[in-house]
Amino acid sequence: MSSISRTSPTLATLPVDMVKHITDYLDIDSLWSLACSAKVFMEFVQDLRIRTGGYQLDVQQGSYRINLPAIHYYYSHFEEDDEYLIDSMDNDIKDFISLFPANIDVLRIDPNLVNHFDRFHQECTVLSIGAHPIEYCRFKAEICPTEQLDLLLNSVNSRKGLALNGPKPLVTENKKIFNIDWLLIRNATWITPEFIRKLKNKVVFLMGTEALTEKDINEYLKDLKTGKIDNWNLQVIGFNTGFGRPRYDREAILAGLDTVIATDQIYKVVDYDKRIESELFLGTSSANGDIKIGRSFDFTGDDGIKVSVEFMCPTVTVYIWNQEKDLDKKTSTKKRGHPEDTNGPAAKKSC
């Protein structure tokens, strides 16, 4: 009796529906390994358009980390050579996005890579340079010249947010910082009254503003009241003197503004995007864009729009209640979407 040998079935020979059922149970690492095993699987995984949420890319001197918070996945790589590190990161993130399409939500870059800023050419929602000074307490922080910082700001396309964290002052008057939606500047000792009048941002938080006096902020508020501040986009702007620094004098800041006390108000951030929480852009926490103002000093501008001034420890936060104006603008303009909102089915979470 003759026997007939049969080849064992493989993923390549299984029906597409069956393969898809199998891949539904695979995590990112397994899908990656599958895609790298054969071109047919690479194309198959790409066609699935796995929804992974946005990427967070953290590039430090000596290592980088590719993070997908929505599915609790990360990949890290260590490399002592800075140039090789950045080139490897660039290749890896391109490969990841090719297989699992999504935006880079946050790109964090170590200012100690200042001599290699010309090698960054990514596109992201939020660009964050540096970190809180405490994170550099064990390392030497390099000085970042304005020319090199401008090189980075011009080569990376940050669509919504820019955080200049330091730890040393990151000084620039690059045109991008005046127009981006969300702006955070730590170590803002170099900020002048003229500088804040140039801002066209929606949300601004300045830390280490002891160089700005109560008179400077008072005059800014008076100009805001009379319409001399040419920023119709502004929603929130905060001034923080810094940890251990003297608080601003409330009476001096409010002088001549004819304010009234208001309590327990809820301020709603227009066009709230959860990625604004990736840095301290708002200066406080919010509940999906709703900010509770316990006690504030309010006045009405010449344009009829209410302004609230809140004092919380070393921070003075100014809220402009222009939501109705922004809602009117939305009815006449089409809002652009983001690719990650239509990236297909969700991937299985990786432990």
Side-chain angles (χ1 to χ4, degrees):
M1 187 174 178
S2 62
S3 61
I4 300 175
S5 62
R6 297 183 179 181
T7 58
S8 299
T10 66
L11 279 176
T13 61
L14 291 175
V16 172
D17 289 345
M18 187 175 294
V19 175
K20 186 179 184 307
H21 180 72
I22 294 173
T23 57
D24 285 342
Y25 291 90
L26 299 181
D27 60 19
I28 293 296
D29 284 327
S30 301
L31 286 168
W32 182 273
S33 297
L34 175 65
C36 293
S37 65
K39 183 178 179 181
V40 62
F41 294 136
M42 174 71 75
E43 294 173 349
F44 179 79
V45 174
Q46 288 174 332
D47 289 342
L48 289 176
R49 294 191 64 81
I50 301 295
R51 183 185 297 166
T52 56
Y55 290 91
Q56 292 187 3
L57 180 54
D58 191 351
V59 190
Q60 301 294 319
Q61 193 169 46
S63 68
Y64 61 84
R65 177 178 171 125
I66 298 172
N67 191 18
L68 289 165
I71 58 172
H72 309 292
Y73 173 85
Y74 73 90
Y75 167 80
S76 57
H77 179 80
F78 298 87
E79 172 59 51
E80 292 184 1
D81 184 276
D82 291 341
E83 292 188 1
Y84 186 83
L85 174 84
I86 297 170
D87 291 345
S88 177
M89 172 277 301
D90 189 53
N91 290 330
D92 279 348
I93 192 62
K94 286 178 179 177
D95 288 342
F96 267 98
I97 292 175
S98 173
L99 199 57
F100 310 113
N103 286 330
I104 299 177
D105 283 344
V106 183
L107 172 58
R108 295 188 173 94
I109 299 177
D110 187 346
N112 283 338
L113 295 171
V114 59
N115 294 324
H116 309 285
F117 278 175
D118 60 312
R119 306 181 84 87
F120 290 93
H121 301 282
Q122 289 74 28
E123 181 172 330
C124 58
T125 301
V126 173
L127 173 61
S128 174
I129 305 172
H132 191 281
I134 197 172
E135 296 188 28
Y136 284 83
C137 62
R138 293 181 294 114
F139 307 98
K140 178 184 178 182
E142 299 291 340
I143 295 175
C144 185
T146 298
E147 296 76 13
Q148 292 297 105
L149 179 58
D150 286 344
L151 181 65
L152 180 63
L153 295 179
N154 290 332
S155 61
V156 173
N157 181 15
S158 49
R159 295 187 300 272
K160 280 198 168 185
L162 173 63
L164 302 179
N165 284 306
K168 294 186 177 179
L170 296 173
V171 182
T172 178
E173 291 208 15
N174 187 287
K175 62 181 182 181
K176 281 192 174 182
I177 72 171
F178 295 105
N179 299 297
I180 199 160
D181 285 353
W182 317 323
L183 178 66
L184 165 66
I185 302 178
R186 295 181 188 265
N187 293 313
T189 53
W190 53 278
I191 299 296
T192 64
E194 292 73 28
F195 179 93
I196 61 175
R197 281 171 166 75
K198 296 178 184 178
L199 298 173
K200 310 294 182 186
N201 321 87
K202 293 181 179 179
V203 175
V204 182
F205 192 56
L206 306 174
M207 304 182 69
T209 56
E210 63 267 21
L212 290 176
T213 66
E214 287 88 348
K215 181 182 178 183
D216 294 329
I217 299 177
N218 174 258
E219 291 179 350
Y220 178 82
L221 291 174
K222 286 179 176 177
D223 287 347
L224 188 65
K225 182 176 184 178
T226 58
K228 293 180 181 178
I229 300 297
D230 185 21
N231 182 6
W232 299 102
N233 295 315
L234 186 62
Q235 298 180 42
V236 183
I237 183 169
F239 306 89
N240 177 287
T241 56
F243 179 76
R245 300 289 183 177
R247 302 180 184 184
Y248 281 119
D249 181 85
R250 186 180 69 199
E251 299 301 324
I253 285 179
L254 298 177
L257 289 171
D258 298 323
T259 60
V260 296
I261 296 177
T263 58
D264 297 328
Q265 299 184 93
I266 300 295
Y267 181 89
K268 295 183 178 294
V269 178
V270 177
D271 291 333
Y272 174 76
D273 184 325
K274 64 181 181 181
R275 291 169 292 190
I276 199 174
E277 309 283 356
S278 64
E279 290 284 350
L280 199 61
F281 293 114
L282 291 169
T284 186
S285 59
S286 75
N288 294 319
D290 290 356
I291 301 175
K292 183 177 180 179
I293 307 174
R295 185 170 184 261
S296 64
F297 299 82
D298 297 1
F299 63 85
T300 302
D302 291 353
D303 55 4
I305 295 176
K306 183 175 76 173
V307 176
S308 295
V309 185
E310 182 186 37
F311 295 83
M312 288 288 290
C313 296
T315 302
V316 178
T317 307
V318 182
Y319 299 93
I320 295 88
W321 297 76
N322 53 8
Q323 291 93 336
E324 291 186 5
K325 173 176 66 67
D326 287 323
L327 289 173
D328 290 341
K329 284 166 58 176
K330 281 200 289 183
T331 60
S332 60
T333 58
K334 186 176 181 180
K335 184 180 178 182
R336 292 180 293 177
H338 293 283
E340 75 273 20
D341 296 331
T342 55
N343 276 339
K348 182 169 178 65
K349 295 181 179 180
S350 176
C351 297

